[in-house]
Amino acid sequence: MTRPAQAAPGGRPGPLRRVAPALGLFLLSPLVAEYLLGNVPPSELWGLVVLAPMYGGGAIIIREVTRRAGRGWPTIILLGCAYGVLEATLIDQTLFNPAPLFEGDVSRGSTLIPALGFSAVNALGFTVGHAVWSIGVPIAVVETLVPRRATTPWLGIPGLLFTCVVFVLGSLVLFGGIRDDSGFMASPPQRIGAAAVVVLLAVAAFLVGWRSRPAKDGRSPKPWLVGTAGFVASAAFVARPEDWWGTAAGIALIAVTAVVVGRWSRGDGWGATHRLALAGGALLTQAFLGFLLLFLHGTATTANLIGQTVLVLGALALFLVAHRGAREAGEAREAGP
């Protein structure tokens, strides 16, 4: 009998299978961040060629660096925040650009900080939005799909270096394209300040979680409760008013969510199904918001609404597959050898 094509000598999976999770993350990140959100309509799916190197490349780098360093989700989320600042200030420079995000948008003016040249509500939205939906949710879903490799590197050093090159080139292409379209360039002090914030967030990412915290007494809540909390928290975040009160409420919501999830994650029984449920709640928020943004952006054509429905159903199917795998893996661990 011949050996399966994907199997390498010694029982190891073949090269394509080994990097398959990274390839999946490469595509899933921009699909969740821009297409499921409705920011880019399904009719422009070809844009993945341009968006995936930056979004997917960034997600892979963050995930690989975190896992190689033996760190966990606090590091991933803080690096996701650094990515959010990097994209919004140095790559597409949307945070500093005085042009509205879309026709009728007034979010910038409501919380503008003149001395810094950006809106507080937008700064919070871009940073947290990218950390959660561009980085956190896609990583959580793909890691759950490969439970045996959830916390191990997916790429070797050459693959990681290649991904870094792809990320840089993709970012430069987007930077150049947006610069040509808008003609806008942030001021040197703005860019220097933004770069400093990116570095500080990256450093902070490796200062947290370096020492394991003791587990607290009691069991973690059921995954369905965690998922419901994730949906409520993420929905409240995107629905908050775009003013100073909404900014303060968003910061408070993030702090409360971090404390609650941190306590839950130290409870007995916390595992992949809980992390996936939390990501699923945020994913559901993104799905609802996507249809709304299609109408706000004037792109809610019949074809785009059908395409958006297909995207949502695809995301649901992927979530269910991941959930089934996570549950079976958890049952296998409980059963023991």
Side-chain angles (χ1 to χ4, degrees):
M1 181 180 295
T2 59
R3 187 185 301 274
Q6 72 272 19
R12 293 183 62 195
L16 182 59
R17 190 174 177 182
R18 289 201 301 270
V19 302
L23 293 174
L25 181 57
F26 185 76
L27 295 175
L28 187 61
S29 177
L31 283 171
V32 172
E34 294 292 351
Y35 290 92
L36 192 63
L37 174 63
N39 212 26
V40 180
S43 60
E44 298 180 12
L45 194 60
W46 56 266
L48 274 176
V49 176
V50 179
L51 294 175
M54 182 184 69
Y55 279 98
I60 292 171
I61 292 168
I62 287 172
R63 192 264 168 198
E64 290 295 294
V65 169
T66 299
R67 295 313 186 190
R68 283 182 174 276
R71 303 302 176 90
W73 278 96
T75 297
I76 289 176
I77 294 301
L78 278 173
L79 287 178
C81 290
Y83 170 89
V85 175
L86 176 68
E87 180 180 333
T89 60
L90 298 177
I91 299 176
D92 64 31
Q93 303 195 12
T94 307
L95 184 62
F96 294 132
N97 195 331
L101 298 177
F102 55 88
E103 186 176 354
D105 175 57
V106 295
S107 59
R108 176 179 170 85
S110 60
T111 57
L112 180 65
I113 306 174
L116 300 178
F118 65 79
S119 160
V121 69
N122 284 347
L124 182 64
F126 290 146
T127 303
V128 176
H130 283 303
V132 173
W133 285 284
S134 301
I135 305 299
V137 169
I139 290 176
V141 171
V142 179
E143 285 193 340
T144 309
L145 288 169
V146 287
R148 293 182 179 179
R149 302 176 61 195
T151 58
T152 61
W154 295 336
L155 301 175
I157 295 299
L160 180 56
L161 292 176
F162 176 77
T163 304
C164 291
V165 172
V166 170
F167 171 73
V168 171
L169 292 178
S171 299
L172 289 174
V173 168
L174 280 170
F175 170 78
I178 294 174
R179 174 81 189 280
D180 290 341
D181 289 341
S182 67
F184 175 79
M185 173 64 78
S187 68
Q190 287 176 322
R191 283 177 279 157
I192 293 171
V197 171
V198 171
V199 171
L200 288 174
L201 285 170
V203 171
F206 290 95
L207 293 179
V208 300
W210 63 274
R211 182 170 53 188
S212 60
R213 302 175 68 182
K216 74 181 187 67
D217 296 332
R219 289 191 60 83
S220 298
K222 297 292 185 181
W224 69 265
L225 180 59
V226 175
T228 301
F231 172 70
V232 171
S234 58
F237 183 81
V238 301
R240 74 194 190 285
E242 294 185 332
D243 55 21
W244 284 107
W245 287 109
T247 302
I251 294 173
L253 181 61
I254 293 167
V256 171
T257 302
V259 170
V260 171
V261 172
R263 289 180 60 86
W264 283 351
S265 67
R266 297 195 303 276
D268 183 35
W270 180 271
T273 53
H274 295 84
R275 290 188 291 271
L276 181 65
L278 194 63
L283 200 63
L284 185 59
T285 297
Q286 194 88 327
F288 281 117
L289 188 60
F291 286 100
L292 175 61
L293 286 188
L294 286 179
F295 283 99
L296 287 177
H297 293 170
T299 55
T301 63
T302 300
N304 280 334
L305 290 174
I306 293 174
Q308 193 71 14
T309 302
V310 171
L311 281 173
V312 171
L313 292 177
L316 177 61
L318 188 64
F319 174 81
L320 292 176
V321 170
H323 179 266
R324 180 178 179 180
R327 187 176 60 185
E328 291 176 352
E331 291 172 352
R333 283 193 297 271
E334 290 177 1

